[in-house]
Amino acid sequence: MKQLASLLSMLCVLCAQGQNISNTLCTSPLAEQVLKGLYDPTDFAATTVIGDHAVILCDLRTRVSSDSLESNLRKLEAFHTRHAYSDTLSVTTGIGAARRWAYSKFQEASIANDNRLIPAFLQFDYVDPVCGPASGWRDVFAVLPGDDTTNKSIVLIEAHLDSRCADNCDPICAAPGAEDNGSGSALVLELARVLSRYTFHHTIVFMLTTGEEQGLVGATAMAQYCVDQGIAIKGVQNNDIVGGIICGNTSSAPSCPGPGDIDSLQVRLFSEGSIGQPHRAFARTIKMFYQEKMQAQVPVPMTISIINQEDRTNRGGDHIPFRERGFRNVRFTAANEDGDASVDSAWYNDRQHTSGDILGVDTDGDLVVDSLYVDFHYLQRNAVINGLTATLLALGPETPTSIVHADPGGIRVSITSGFNLAAYRIGVRNASSSSYFDAVYRTTDTSFTVPGLTAGHGYFISVAGIDSATIMSPFSNEVVRLNHAETPAGTVDPLPFGINCVPIGIADPIAHASTLIIAPNPATTAITLISDAPSARSVLLLDPLGRVVRRAAFDPQRELDVSMLSPSCYIVVLLNAQGAPLGRARFVKE
């Protein structure tokens, strides 16, 4: 049955790529003109222009809000279902209500930012080979015009809005789709809110597609629309299942370690890796963007894992239709995933593609969800990586062209365009190495012999440019060459073009511990807090990553229930009436 489900899924994908989509149109003529680059940038100028990438990236760390992401996701979950065939007339239930709400969120972001963001729908009809025909399907998107139409290519940040149950043709069952893909949709909406404040050279598009679960339908409609309308794309960032941190009993390979594993510090990048294609090079670019510009500026650094597959085994996502039409793309996905979607199997008990794909559960009976499957701080970190990527793409240079020579003296790179750039990066991988570079070198020369190579070995070579603002272009498609000579070692690029932001701190868990005593310690079901600070008014419990898991009024000598907490180690912080910290200590729950 699992194999049958996979075949049906692939059949739907193939049908979506063909003639089953028709009558595609953009509901906003203005949005369409901007997508084509046919507009006057001064018509969309910000009252206060903020276009320095360092300022934008530093802002992203705090302006992207976990609270805003949570609010978005709770609203998305409340539509009961966002199935592509669900109700389009109700104001509270179904895909129609969800997409109108998303449109209104784009409008809110526009009003708050000089009306520069242009909301629109991409409307089309579709005939599903299994679920039947439907008309009036709609992707919802918003366009932030760039300030330079010399290069008309856009940057696209996307996620699919629709959700599903086990029966993919059931438009009525509860399908809250919290992780798949409320998490990605909340991220796109949040970045539209945050990035609309800034000015970029390239136009940025924020898009929520429909019909992903029926075979990548909405993404296919948009990708083909871009081809038909001559809309160029610099990069597509697809976000699908980007907020969950718990590994399920099943998970499509390459998979998480095992049931119950928690990972809130890693995100996976999936991309097509064929030689001559730009997609895996884009994934490497994103990783280097993060390492150079952001990793040292955030309190909780993330690991970006480049996966040697376009998607999980026998699975697919909305980046694929763009790849099929030649547009550079990558898929962001959480490190851990709750289910492999084999919902037709009797033993399947994970949440993905079921009514159980919910935000979390109420563990103490107070009717408030307090145990979350989606980690909003993790989702915030993934949103920052997306915002970083879009910012540097939309402000940075084009990839220089080059020729890679297999000279008798070693592999040599000749730069053939981009002579106005300040420097070039040469990425090198051994033909049998991992998915990331073995070494990266930087040069200002337009003819560069790659150092540190062994004679008789094959190497993959990729090139990027760095402009005068220290922003790197995407890396070029890889070229493989056989090296004919030993080349002396060279200096590996230390990625020196970082930024300096005001630090964001996480409270030291043992600072000022003398003002707070915990008894008993370790705790099993409750702790008693005793403080010598008379101004203490409230207490916070933080997990090991500094995230607030409980807030309560401070009452000396009174027990605080910790029976429902899951990690073993916690930080206790006392606050005064103004919210300033007074004392901190740690306790371990056995």
mmCIF file of all heavy atoms in Angstrom, residues 394-442:
data_model
loop_
_atom_site.group_PDB
_atom_site.id
_atom_site.type_symbol
_atom_site.label_atom_id
_atom_site.label_comp_id
_atom_site.label_asym_id
_atom_site.label_seq_id
_atom_site.Cartn_x
_atom_site.Cartn_y
_atom_site.Cartn_z
ATOM 1 N N ALA A 394 18.674 39.709 -2.844
ATOM 2 C CA ALA A 394 17.997 40.880 -3.407
ATOM 3 C C ALA A 394 18.877 42.121 -3.433
ATOM 4 O O ALA A 394 18.555 43.091 -4.113
ATOM 5 C CB ALA A 394 16.712 41.162 -2.629
ATOM 6 N N LEU A 395 19.981 42.126 -2.693
ATOM 7 C CA LEU A 395 20.904 43.263 -2.680
ATOM 8 C C LEU A 395 22.232 42.953 -3.356
ATOM 9 O O LEU A 395 22.978 43.876 -3.700
ATOM 10 C CB LEU A 395 21.174 43.711 -1.243
ATOM 11 C CG LEU A 395 20.041 44.437 -0.524
ATOM 12 C CD1 LEU A 395 20.410 44.679 0.933
ATOM 13 C CD2 LEU A 395 19.709 45.761 -1.205
ATOM 14 N N GLY A 396 22.544 41.676 -3.536
ATOM 15 C CA GLY A 396 23.865 41.285 -3.977
ATOM 16 C C GLY A 396 24.016 41.138 -5.478
ATOM 17 O O GLY A 396 23.067 41.306 -6.243
ATOM 18 N N PRO A 397 25.231 40.804 -5.892
ATOM 19 C CA PRO A 397 25.558 40.778 -7.315
ATOM 20 C C PRO A 397 25.117 39.488 -8.000
ATOM 21 O O PRO A 397 24.731 38.516 -7.361
ATOM 22 C CB PRO A 397 27.086 40.875 -7.306
ATOM 23 C CG PRO A 397 27.482 40.175 -6.037
ATOM 24 C CD PRO A 397 26.407 40.537 -5.045
ATOM 25 N N GLU A 398 25.217 39.514 -9.328
ATOM 26 C CA GLU A 398 24.986 38.316 -10.128
ATOM 27 C C GLU A 398 26.238 37.433 -10.100
ATOM 28 O O GLU A 398 27.356 37.903 -9.863
ATOM 29 C CB GLU A 398 24.649 38.692 -11.567
ATOM 30 C CG GLU A 398 23.362 39.478 -11.707
ATOM 31 C CD GLU A 398 22.179 38.745 -11.124
ATOM 32 O OE1 GLU A 398 21.929 37.592 -11.525
ATOM 33 O OE2 GLU A 398 21.500 39.339 -10.263
ATOM 34 N N THR A 399 26.040 36.170 -10.351
ATOM 35 C CA THR A 399 27.159 35.233 -10.403
ATOM 36 C C THR A 399 28.031 35.516 -11.625
ATOM 37 O O THR A 399 27.522 35.605 -12.747
ATOM 38 C CB THR A 399 26.633 33.793 -10.489
ATOM 39 O OG1 THR A 399 25.759 33.557 -9.377
ATOM 40 C CG2 THR A 399 27.772 32.789 -10.476
ATOM 41 N N PRO A 400 29.337 35.666 -11.441
ATOM 42 C CA PRO A 400 30.191 35.872 -12.604
ATOM 43 C C PRO A 400 30.297 34.595 -13.442
ATOM 44 O O PRO A 400 30.180 33.490 -12.908
ATOM 45 C CB PRO A 400 31.547 36.232 -11.985
ATOM 46 C CG PRO A 400 31.525 35.578 -10.643
ATOM 47 C CD PRO A 400 30.097 35.650 -10.176
ATOM 48 N N THR A 401 30.482 34.743 -14.724
ATOM 49 C CA THR A 401 30.721 33.578 -15.571
ATOM 50 C C THR A 401 32.214 33.262 -15.570
ATOM 51 O O THR A 401 33.057 34.122 -15.296
ATOM 52 C CB THR A 401 30.236 33.812 -17.006
ATOM 53 O OG1 THR A 401 30.908 34.951 -17.544
ATOM 54 C CG2 THR A 401 28.736 34.040 -17.035
ATOM 55 N N SER A 402 32.539 32.015 -15.877
ATOM 56 C CA SER A 402 33.938 31.591 -15.817
ATOM 57 C C SER A 402 34.147 30.368 -16.687
ATOM 58 O O SER A 402 33.194 29.688 -17.084
ATOM 59 C CB SER A 402 34.346 31.278 -14.376
ATOM 60 O OG SER A 402 33.535 30.220 -13.857
ATOM 61 N N ILE A 403 35.403 30.095 -16.981
ATOM 62 C CA ILE A 403 35.811 28.877 -17.677
ATOM 63 C C ILE A 403 36.816 28.165 -16.784
ATOM 64 O O ILE A 403 37.745 28.797 -16.248
ATOM 65 C CB ILE A 403 36.441 29.191 -19.043
ATOM 66 C CG1 ILE A 403 35.427 29.914 -19.941
ATOM 67 C CG2 ILE A 403 36.937 27.909 -19.722
ATOM 68 C CD1 ILE A 403 36.036 30.391 -21.258
ATOM 69 N N VAL A 404 36.634 26.861 -16.604
ATOM 70 C CA VAL A 404 37.541 26.066 -15.778
ATOM 71 C C VAL A 404 38.410 25.218 -16.709
ATOM 72 O O VAL A 404 37.900 24.389 -17.474
ATOM 73 C CB VAL A 404 36.771 25.172 -14.795
ATOM 74 C CG1 VAL A 404 37.746 24.382 -13.930
ATOM 75 C CG2 VAL A 404 35.848 26.024 -13.913
ATOM 76 N N HIS A 405 39.720 25.435 -16.639
ATOM 77 C CA HIS A 405 40.665 24.778 -17.542
ATOM 78 C C HIS A 405 41.396 23.658 -16.816
ATOM 79 O O HIS A 405 41.832 23.830 -15.667
ATOM 80 C CB HIS A 405 41.714 25.781 -18.045
ATOM 81 C CG HIS A 405 41.142 27.041 -18.599
ATOM 82 N ND1 HIS A 405 40.802 27.192 -19.924
ATOM 83 C CD2 HIS A 405 40.857 28.227 -17.991
ATOM 84 C CE1 HIS A 405 40.343 28.413 -20.123
ATOM 85 N NE2 HIS A 405 40.370 29.069 -18.963
ATOM 86 N N ALA A 406 41.586 22.535 -17.484
ATOM 87 C CA ALA A 406 42.424 21.450 -16.962
ATOM 88 C C ALA A 406 43.823 21.614 -17.553
ATOM 89 O O ALA A 406 44.246 20.859 -18.446
ATOM 90 C CB ALA A 406 41.824 20.105 -17.313
ATOM 91 N N ASP A 407 44.575 22.613 -17.084
ATOM 92 C CA ASP A 407 45.897 22.909 -17.621
ATOM 93 C C ASP A 407 46.923 21.878 -17.152
ATOM 94 O O ASP A 407 46.725 21.214 -16.120
ATOM 95 C CB ASP A 407 46.359 24.297 -17.164
ATOM 96 C CG ASP A 407 45.599 25.428 -17.833
ATOM 97 O OD1 ASP A 407 44.884 25.150 -18.827
ATOM 98 O OD2 ASP A 407 45.723 26.580 -17.369
ATOM 99 N N PRO A 408 48.037 21.752 -17.859
ATOM 100 C CA PRO A 408 49.101 20.835 -17.391
ATOM 101 C C PRO A 408 49.610 21.181 -16.001
ATOM 102 O O PRO A 408 50.037 20.294 -15.255
ATOM 103 C CB PRO A 408 50.196 21.025 -18.452
ATOM 104 C CG PRO A 408 49.478 21.480 -19.672
ATOM 105 C CD PRO A 408 48.350 22.340 -19.173
ATOM 106 N N GLY A 409 49.566 22.452 -15.639
ATOM 107 C CA GLY A 409 50.043 22.867 -14.320
ATOM 108 C C GLY A 409 48.993 22.855 -13.237
ATOM 109 O O GLY A 409 49.255 23.299 -12.118
ATOM 110 N N GLY A 410 47.805 22.375 -13.529
ATOM 111 C CA GLY A 410 46.742 22.323 -12.534
ATOM 112 C C GLY A 410 45.456 22.931 -13.051
ATOM 113 O O GLY A 410 45.399 23.478 -14.166
ATOM 114 N N ILE A 411 44.415 22.842 -12.255
ATOM 115 C CA ILE A 411 43.111 23.395 -12.640
ATOM 116 C C ILE A 411 43.143 24.911 -12.491
ATOM 117 O O ILE A 411 43.506 25.440 -11.440
ATOM 118 C CB ILE A 411 41.990 22.783 -11.785
ATOM 119 C CG1 ILE A 411 41.842 21.282 -12.094
ATOM 120 C CG2 ILE A 411 40.662 23.504 -12.028
ATOM 121 C CD1 ILE A 411 40.838 20.568 -11.220
ATOM 122 N N ARG A 412 42.752 25.593 -13.559
ATOM 123 C CA ARG A 412 42.789 27.058 -13.566
ATOM 124 C C ARG A 412 41.402 27.605 -13.890
ATOM 125 O O ARG A 412 40.710 27.101 -14.773
ATOM 126 C CB ARG A 412 43.800 27.567 -14.592
ATOM 127 C CG ARG A 412 43.921 29.096 -14.658
ATOM 128 C CD ARG A 412 45.083 29.506 -15.560
ATOM 129 N NE ARG A 412 44.908 28.997 -16.922
ATOM 130 C CZ ARG A 412 44.246 29.638 -17.890
ATOM 131 N NH1 ARG A 412 43.669 30.824 -17.639
ATOM 132 N NH2 ARG A 412 44.149 29.100 -19.088
ATOM 133 N N VAL A 413 40.999 28.660 -13.171
ATOM 134 C CA VAL A 413 39.709 29.308 -13.363
ATOM 135 C C VAL A 413 39.938 30.663 -14.026
ATOM 136 O O VAL A 413 40.708 31.491 -13.515
ATOM 137 C CB VAL A 413 38.962 29.493 -12.031
ATOM 138 C CG1 VAL A 413 37.642 30.217 -12.252
ATOM 139 C CG2 VAL A 413 38.729 28.155 -11.355
ATOM 140 N N SER A 414 39.259 30.887 -15.166
ATOM 141 C CA SER A 414 39.292 32.188 -15.835
ATOM 142 C C SER A 414 37.936 32.860 -15.670
ATOM 143 O O SER A 414 36.906 32.285 -16.042
ATOM 144 C CB SER A 414 39.594 32.023 -17.327
ATOM 145 O OG SER A 414 40.880 31.510 -17.528
ATOM 146 N N ILE A 415 37.925 34.053 -15.115
ATOM 147 C CA ILE A 415 36.690 34.826 -14.974
ATOM 148 C C ILE A 415 36.399 35.506 -16.304
ATOM 149 O O ILE A 415 37.271 36.163 -16.889
ATOM 150 C CB ILE A 415 36.828 35.884 -13.858
ATOM 151 C CG1 ILE A 415 37.213 35.212 -12.532
ATOM 152 C CG2 ILE A 415 35.530 36.677 -13.709
ATOM 153 C CD1 ILE A 415 36.213 34.209 -12.007
ATOM 154 N N THR A 416 35.172 35.349 -16.807
ATOM 155 C CA THR A 416 34.826 35.902 -18.126
ATOM 156 C C THR A 416 33.764 36.993 -18.069
ATOM 157 O O THR A 416 33.436 37.591 -19.096
ATOM 158 C CB THR A 416 34.354 34.769 -19.055
ATOM 159 O OG1 THR A 416 33.250 34.077 -18.446
ATOM 160 C CG2 THR A 416 35.485 33.783 -19.319
ATOM 161 N N SER A 417 33.204 37.252 -16.896
ATOM 162 C CA SER A 417 32.308 38.401 -16.711
ATOM 163 C C SER A 417 32.298 38.747 -15.239
ATOM 164 O O SER A 417 32.778 37.986 -14.400
ATOM 165 C CB SER A 417 30.886 38.087 -17.199
ATOM 166 O OG SER A 417 30.219 37.240 -16.283
ATOM 167 N N GLY A 418 31.729 39.911 -14.911
ATOM 168 C CA GLY A 418 31.734 40.354 -13.522
ATOM 169 C C GLY A 418 33.038 41.021 -13.138
ATOM 170 O O GLY A 418 33.502 40.915 -11.993
ATOM 171 N N PHE A 419 33.637 41.734 -14.093
ATOM 172 C CA PHE A 419 34.934 42.362 -13.830
ATOM 173 C C PHE A 419 34.825 43.550 -12.881
ATOM 174 O O PHE A 419 35.846 44.066 -12.427
ATOM 175 C CB PHE A 419 35.570 42.792 -15.157
ATOM 176 C CG PHE A 419 35.778 41.649 -16.120
ATOM 177 C CD1 PHE A 419 35.135 41.630 -17.341
ATOM 178 C CD2 PHE A 419 36.595 40.579 -15.780
ATOM 179 C CE1 PHE A 419 35.324 40.581 -18.219
ATOM 180 C CE2 PHE A 419 36.793 39.525 -16.645
ATOM 181 C CZ PHE A 419 36.148 39.514 -17.869
ATOM 182 N N ASN A 420 33.612 44.008 -12.611
ATOM 183 C CA ASN A 420 33.422 45.112 -11.667
ATOM 184 C C ASN A 420 33.383 44.636 -10.221
ATOM 185 O O ASN A 420 33.280 45.449 -9.298
ATOM 186 C CB ASN A 420 32.122 45.861 -11.986
ATOM 187 C CG ASN A 420 30.897 44.950 -11.880
ATOM 188 O OD1 ASN A 420 30.982 43.756 -12.195
ATOM 189 N ND2 ASN A 420 29.772 45.501 -11.459
ATOM 190 N N LEU A 421 33.455 43.333 -9.991
ATOM 191 C CA LEU A 421 33.373 42.803 -8.647
ATOM 192 C C LEU A 421 34.689 43.013 -7.897
ATOM 193 O O LEU A 421 35.765 43.088 -8.499
ATOM 194 C CB LEU A 421 33.020 41.316 -8.683
ATOM 195 C CG LEU A 421 31.615 41.010 -9.214
ATOM 196 C CD1 LEU A 421 31.444 39.518 -9.471
ATOM 197 C CD2 LEU A 421 30.552 41.509 -8.236
ATOM 198 N N ALA A 422 34.599 43.084 -6.560
ATOM 199 C CA ALA A 422 35.782 43.338 -5.743
ATOM 200 C C ALA A 422 36.663 42.104 -5.592
ATOM 201 O O ALA A 422 37.883 42.219 -5.414
ATOM 202 C CB ALA A 422 35.349 43.840 -4.361
ATOM 203 N N ALA A 423 36.048 40.918 -5.628
ATOM 204 C CA ALA A 423 36.809 39.682 -5.449
ATOM 205 C C ALA A 423 35.963 38.514 -5.940
ATOM 206 O O ALA A 423 34.767 38.672 -6.244
ATOM 207 C CB ALA A 423 37.208 39.492 -3.986
ATOM 208 N N TYR A 424 36.614 37.344 -6.000
ATOM 209 C CA TYR A 424 35.935 36.122 -6.442
ATOM 210 C C TYR A 424 36.237 35.004 -5.444
ATOM 211 O O TYR A 424 37.322 34.967 -4.841
ATOM 212 C CB TYR A 424 36.421 35.711 -7.839
ATOM 213 C CG TYR A 424 36.374 36.839 -8.837
ATOM 214 C CD1 TYR A 424 37.518 37.586 -9.111
ATOM 215 C CD2 TYR A 424 35.180 37.175 -9.481
ATOM 216 C CE1 TYR A 424 37.485 38.642 -10.010
ATOM 217 C CE2 TYR A 424 35.143 38.237 -10.379
ATOM 218 C CZ TYR A 424 36.295 38.965 -10.635
ATOM 219 O OH TYR A 424 36.241 40.019 -11.515
ATOM 220 N N ARG A 425 35.271 34.133 -5.275
ATOM 221 C CA ARG A 425 35.473 32.942 -4.447
ATOM 222 C C ARG A 425 35.457 31.702 -5.337
ATOM 223 O O ARG A 425 34.604 31.578 -6.223
ATOM 224 C CB ARG A 425 34.389 32.829 -3.375
ATOM 225 C CG ARG A 425 34.667 33.708 -2.176
ATOM 226 C CD ARG A 425 33.764 33.453 -0.996
ATOM 227 N NE ARG A 425 34.282 34.177 0.146
ATOM 228 C CZ ARG A 425 33.548 34.930 0.974
ATOM 229 N NH1 ARG A 425 32.241 35.058 0.775
ATOM 230 N NH2 ARG A 425 34.113 35.550 1.987
ATOM 231 N N ILE A 426 36.372 30.791 -5.063
ATOM 232 C CA ILE A 426 36.469 29.544 -5.795
ATOM 233 C C ILE A 426 36.195 28.409 -4.819
ATOM 234 O O ILE A 426 36.976 28.181 -3.891
ATOM 235 C CB ILE A 426 37.866 29.360 -6.431
ATOM 236 C CG1 ILE A 426 38.339 30.646 -7.128
ATOM 237 C CG2 ILE A 426 37.863 28.162 -7.366
ATOM 238 C CD1 ILE A 426 37.473 31.098 -8.270
ATOM 239 N N GLY A 427 35.066 27.728 -5.002
ATOM 240 C CA GLY A 427 34.723 26.599 -4.162
ATOM 241 C C GLY A 427 35.221 25.308 -4.782
ATOM 242 O O GLY A 427 35.070 25.081 -5.983
ATOM 243 N N VAL A 428 35.808 24.433 -3.954
ATOM 244 C CA VAL A 428 36.445 23.211 -4.437
ATOM 245 C C VAL A 428 35.921 22.018 -3.653
ATOM 246 O O VAL A 428 35.868 22.039 -2.419
ATOM 247 C CB VAL A 428 37.985 23.288 -4.270
ATOM 248 C CG1 VAL A 428 38.653 22.043 -4.853
ATOM 249 C CG2 VAL A 428 38.533 24.559 -4.900
ATOM 250 N N ARG A 429 35.537 20.987 -4.411
ATOM 251 C CA ARG A 429 35.161 19.706 -3.792
ATOM 252 C C ARG A 429 35.883 18.579 -4.510
ATOM 253 O O ARG A 429 35.936 18.536 -5.738
ATOM 254 C CB ARG A 429 33.650 19.449 -3.909
ATOM 255 C CG ARG A 429 32.769 20.292 -3.047
ATOM 256 C CD ARG A 429 31.353 19.719 -2.965
ATOM 257 N NE ARG A 429 30.799 19.400 -4.262
ATOM 258 C CZ ARG A 429 30.345 18.195 -4.612
ATOM 259 N NH1 ARG A 429 30.434 17.169 -3.789
ATOM 260 N NH2 ARG A 429 29.806 18.007 -5.818
ATOM 261 N N ASN A 430 36.414 17.636 -3.728
ATOM 262 C CA ASN A 430 36.919 16.404 -4.305
ATOM 263 C C ASN A 430 35.758 15.632 -4.903
ATOM 264 O O ASN A 430 34.647 15.646 -4.368
ATOM 265 C CB ASN A 430 37.610 15.579 -3.221
ATOM 266 C CG ASN A 430 38.344 14.377 -3.779
ATOM 267 O OD1 ASN A 430 37.727 13.432 -4.284
ATOM 268 N ND2 ASN A 430 39.655 14.399 -3.670
ATOM 269 N N ALA A 431 35.973 14.959 -5.999
ATOM 270 C CA ALA A 431 34.882 14.261 -6.685
ATOM 271 C C ALA A 431 34.204 13.218 -5.811
ATOM 272 O O ALA A 431 33.079 12.798 -6.087
ATOM 273 C CB ALA A 431 35.407 13.619 -7.975
ATOM 274 N N SER A 432 34.851 12.780 -4.749
ATOM 275 C CA SER A 432 34.256 11.763 -3.870
ATOM 276 C C SER A 432 33.898 12.328 -2.502
ATOM 277 O O SER A 432 33.654 11.578 -1.556
ATOM 278 C CB SER A 432 35.229 10.589 -3.693
ATOM 279 O OG SER A 432 36.452 11.044 -3.127
ATOM 280 N N SER A 433 33.851 13.651 -2.371
ATOM 281 C CA SER A 433 33.659 14.262 -1.054
ATOM 282 C C SER A 433 32.189 14.476 -0.737
ATOM 283 O O SER A 433 31.301 14.067 -1.466
ATOM 284 C CB SER A 433 34.414 15.593 -0.981
ATOM 285 O OG SER A 433 33.786 16.553 -1.801
ATOM 286 N N SER A 434 31.945 15.185 0.340
ATOM 287 C CA SER A 434 30.593 15.421 0.829
ATOM 288 C C SER A 434 29.895 16.489 -0.005
ATOM 289 O O SER A 434 30.410 16.953 -1.020
ATOM 290 C CB SER A 434 30.647 15.866 2.293
ATOM 291 O OG SER A 434 31.263 17.132 2.395
ATOM 292 N N SER A 435 28.720 16.906 0.476
ATOM 293 C CA SER A 435 27.903 17.853 -0.281
ATOM 294 C C SER A 435 28.389 19.291 -0.178
ATOM 295 O O SER A 435 27.974 20.131 -0.965
ATOM 296 C CB SER A 435 26.450 17.784 0.212
ATOM 297 O OG SER A 435 26.388 18.107 1.586
ATOM 298 N N TYR A 436 29.281 19.589 0.780
ATOM 299 C CA TYR A 436 29.764 20.961 0.932
ATOM 300 C C TYR A 436 31.196 21.057 0.402
ATOM 301 O O TYR A 436 31.829 20.063 0.060
ATOM 302 C CB TYR A 436 29.689 21.397 2.401
ATOM 303 C CG TYR A 436 29.794 22.888 2.602
ATOM 304 C CD1 TYR A 436 28.916 23.752 1.958
ATOM 305 C CD2 TYR A 436 30.776 23.432 3.413
ATOM 306 C CE1 TYR A 436 29.010 25.131 2.129
ATOM 307 C CE2 TYR A 436 30.875 24.811 3.596
ATOM 308 C CZ TYR A 436 29.990 25.651 2.949
ATOM 309 O OH TYR A 436 30.085 27.017 3.111
ATOM 310 N N PHE A 437 31.704 22.271 0.325
ATOM 311 C CA PHE A 437 33.043 22.482 -0.189
ATOM 312 C C PHE A 437 34.096 21.871 0.737
ATOM 313 O O PHE A 437 33.981 21.928 1.965
ATOM 314 C CB PHE A 437 33.331 23.986 -0.318
ATOM 315 C CG PHE A 437 32.439 24.703 -1.295
ATOM 316 C CD1 PHE A 437 31.619 25.736 -0.873
ATOM 317 C CD2 PHE A 437 32.427 24.347 -2.630
ATOM 318 C CE1 PHE A 437 30.805 26.416 -1.767
ATOM 319 C CE2 PHE A 437 31.626 25.013 -3.544
ATOM 320 C CZ PHE A 437 30.800 26.049 -3.111
ATOM 321 N N ASP A 438 35.167 21.341 0.137
ATOM 322 C CA ASP A 438 36.340 20.949 0.921
ATOM 323 C C ASP A 438 37.189 22.161 1.259
ATOM 324 O O ASP A 438 37.835 22.222 2.311
ATOM 325 C CB ASP A 438 37.179 19.938 0.141
ATOM 326 C CG ASP A 438 36.450 18.624 -0.088
ATOM 327 O OD1 ASP A 438 35.815 18.133 0.850
ATOM 328 O OD2 ASP A 438 36.494 18.116 -1.213
ATOM 329 N N ALA A 439 37.207 23.125 0.341
ATOM 330 C CA ALA A 439 37.958 24.360 0.569
ATOM 331 C C ALA A 439 37.369 25.459 -0.304
ATOM 332 O O ALA A 439 36.787 25.193 -1.359
ATOM 333 C CB ALA A 439 39.440 24.171 0.238
ATOM 334 N N VAL A 440 37.519 26.703 0.182
ATOM 335 C CA VAL A 440 37.104 27.879 -0.585
ATOM 336 C C VAL A 440 38.275 28.866 -0.559
ATOM 337 O O VAL A 440 38.851 29.141 0.504
ATOM 338 C CB VAL A 440 35.839 28.529 0.013
ATOM 339 C CG1 VAL A 440 35.497 29.804 -0.737
ATOM 340 C CG2 VAL A 440 34.672 27.559 -0.028
ATOM 341 N N TYR A 441 38.615 29.382 -1.734
ATOM 342 C CA TYR A 441 39.704 30.346 -1.864
ATOM 343 C C TYR A 441 39.149 31.667 -2.383
ATOM 344 O O TYR A 441 38.143 31.702 -3.085
ATOM 345 C CB TYR A 441 40.780 29.814 -2.809
ATOM 346 C CG TYR A 441 41.346 28.483 -2.361
ATOM 347 C CD1 TYR A 441 40.874 27.292 -2.906
ATOM 348 C CD2 TYR A 441 42.332 28.424 -1.384
ATOM 349 C CE1 TYR A 441 41.375 26.069 -2.490
ATOM 350 C CE2 TYR A 441 42.840 27.197 -0.951
ATOM 351 C CZ TYR A 441 42.357 26.024 -1.508
ATOM 352 O OH TYR A 441 42.858 24.816 -1.087
ATOM 353 N N ARG A 442 39.815 32.756 -2.034
ATOM 354 C CA ARG A 442 39.396 34.087 -2.488
ATOM 355 C C ARG A 442 40.524 34.725 -3.275
ATOM 356 O O ARG A 442 41.697 34.630 -2.894
ATOM 357 C CB ARG A 442 39.019 34.955 -1.285
ATOM 358 C CG ARG A 442 38.349 36.273 -1.682
ATOM 359 C CD ARG A 442 37.846 37.043 -0.478
ATOM 360 N NE ARG A 442 38.883 37.772 0.235
ATOM 361 C CZ ARG A 442 39.405 37.412 1.395
ATOM 362 N NH1 ARG A 442 38.983 36.325 2.006
ATOM 363 N NH2 ARG A 442 40.348 38.129 1.982
#
